[in-house]
């Protein structure tokens, strides 16, 4: 929501700069908490260990997480671009199809198969998404294509968390730290070469308090969301994380209508959203029963 406010409401044209700021803030938060021994970076490691900042994570472990960091970078950049040209309710609807891509990527990377009930719940979610978007009058082929690319990137990213997170010995904070250490220099060089950082200094709302609050909250929320995405994916699975994300859609859609508009009230859309929510609940039931 805050990304959408910056990109659309304030017409901030530099999505890569937002990603850079979020990454730098994440590194700052993690550095401070690790330095003050509030958190640890490795599974089973004591918060009170005497690691100095340079050895927070060994270089070999950092290299091990490189594929995850690159998939995260691609996921962030494409997702940030996908939210620019489409209304929040329809964006949320299309993003729901990520569950199908996640199932495919999980199978390709780990050979993981799911029960018929789980596959059925995913089918209900996707069916609901298509019903919800059946009468969208704001169709934009480019924006829709970017959202589907973002879905593929999300699936690869979550599957990478599940796979590398369990083999690296790092906990959620450690994985986030490695992502930031690898991605921040890449983003900094990229935005500098493209001239985005220099152009940002001339942005008319740069010193506007409302814009600064939006950017600050965007960075804070990005940190919190990333942490819980890592935690849920490593404790459960990539598919579980994808479907859990669908269960907050009713709130996202309602706020999107109220704050940004762009999609009139439509009974068909409501039915589709309800079907998607029902599919998510069915999946939760399957997990609860171990099916």
């Amino acid at each position: 929501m805050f990304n959408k406010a910056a990109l659309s409401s304030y017409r901030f044209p530099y999505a890569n700069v937002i990603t850079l700021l979020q990454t730098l803030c994440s590194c700052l938060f993690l550095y401070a908490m690790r330095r003050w021994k509030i958190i640890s970076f490795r599974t089973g490691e004591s918060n009170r260990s005497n690691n100095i900042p340079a050895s927070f994570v060994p270089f070999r472990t950092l290299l091990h997480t490189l594929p995850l960091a690159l998939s995260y970078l691609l996921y962030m950049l494409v997702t940030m671009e996908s939210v620019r040209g489409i209304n929040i309710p329809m964006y949320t609807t299309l993003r729901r199809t990520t569950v199908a891509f996640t199932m495919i990527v999980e199978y390709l990377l780990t050979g993981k198969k799911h029960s018929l009930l789980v596959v059925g719940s995913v089918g209900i979610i996707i069916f609901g998404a298509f019903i919800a978007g059946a009468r969208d009058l704001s169709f934009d082929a480019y924006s829709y294509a970017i959202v589907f690319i973002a879905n593929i990137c999300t699936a690869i990213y979550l599957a990478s968390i599940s796979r590398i997170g369990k083999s690296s010995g790092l906990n959620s904070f450690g994985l986030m730290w490695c992502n930031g250490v690898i991605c921040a220099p890449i983003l900094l060089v990229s935005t500098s070469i493209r001239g985005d950082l220099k152009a940002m200094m001339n942005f008319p709302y740069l010193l506007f308090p409302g814009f600064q609050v939006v950017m600050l909250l965007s960075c804070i929320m990005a940190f919190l969301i990333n942490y819980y995405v890592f935690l849920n994916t490593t404790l459960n699975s990539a598919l579980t994380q994808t479907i859990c994300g669908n269960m907050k859609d009713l709130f996202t859609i309602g706020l999107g209508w109220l704050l940004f508009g762009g999609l009139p009230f439509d009974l068909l859309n409501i039915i589709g959203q309800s079907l998607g929510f029902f599919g998510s609940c069915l999946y939760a039931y399957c997990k609860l029963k171990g099916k």
Side-chain angles (χ1 to χ4, degrees), residues 10-172:
Y10 286 101
R11 301 186 184 277
F12 186 70
Y14 311 111
N16 291 355
V17 173
I18 296 179
T19 305
L20 173 62
L21 292 175
Q22 290 176 347
T23 304
L24 291 175
C25 283
S26 177
C27 287
L28 180 62
F29 295 153
L30 290 168
Y31 178 88
M33 288 192 293
R34 184 63 188 89
R35 184 67 173 177
W36 296 333
K37 300 179 181 180
I38 299 173
I39 62 172
S40 64
F41 284 167
R42 299 186 66 85
T43 304
E45 180 186 30
S46 171
N47 296 351
R48 299 295 178 181
S49 62
N50 294 319
N51 285 11
I52 58 173
S55 61
F56 275 169
V57 174
F59 183 71
R60 179 176 295 182
T61 303
L62 200 63
L63 287 180
H64 183 70
T65 63
L66 183 60
L68 172 59
L70 294 179
S71 66
Y72 167 77
L73 184 62
L74 184 62
Y75 153 76
M76 285 295 293
L77 294 177
V78 177
T79 302
M80 193 69 68
E81 180 63 28
S82 68
V83 79
R84 181 196 300 274
I86 190 169
N87 56 67
I88 287 289
M90 189 49 56
Y91 170 79
T92 304
T93 297
L94 294 178
R95 286 287 282 164
R96 240 184 239 162
T97 61
T98 304
V99 294
F101 294 106
T102 303
M103 288 185 69
I104 294 171
V105 171
E106 270 192 331
Y107 176 75
L108 293 176
L109 289 182
T110 65
K112 185 174 184 179
K113 297 180 180 180
H114 299 278
S115 67
L116 289 177
L117 270 177
V118 169
V119 174
S121 65
V122 170
I124 292 174
I125 293 171
I126 296 174
F127 181 61
F130 280 113
I131 289 180
R135 289 208 293 241
D136 177 30
L137 301 179
S138 59
F139 178 81
D140 183 326
Y142 172 78
S143 297
Y144 276 39
I146 293 295
V147 172
F148 281 114
I149 292 174
N151 291 348
I152 296 173
C153 293
T154 302
I156 295 173
Y157 169 55
L158 293 178
S160 298
I161 293 176
S162 182
R163 188 176 184 181
I164 296 177
K166 294 174 181 177
S167 62
S168 65
L170 299 173
N171 59 22
S172 299

Side-chain angles (χ1 to χ4, degrees), residues 283-291:
Y283 176 83
Y285 172 80
C286 294
K287 290 289 290 183
L288 185 64
K289 296 298 183 179
K291 298 180 180 180

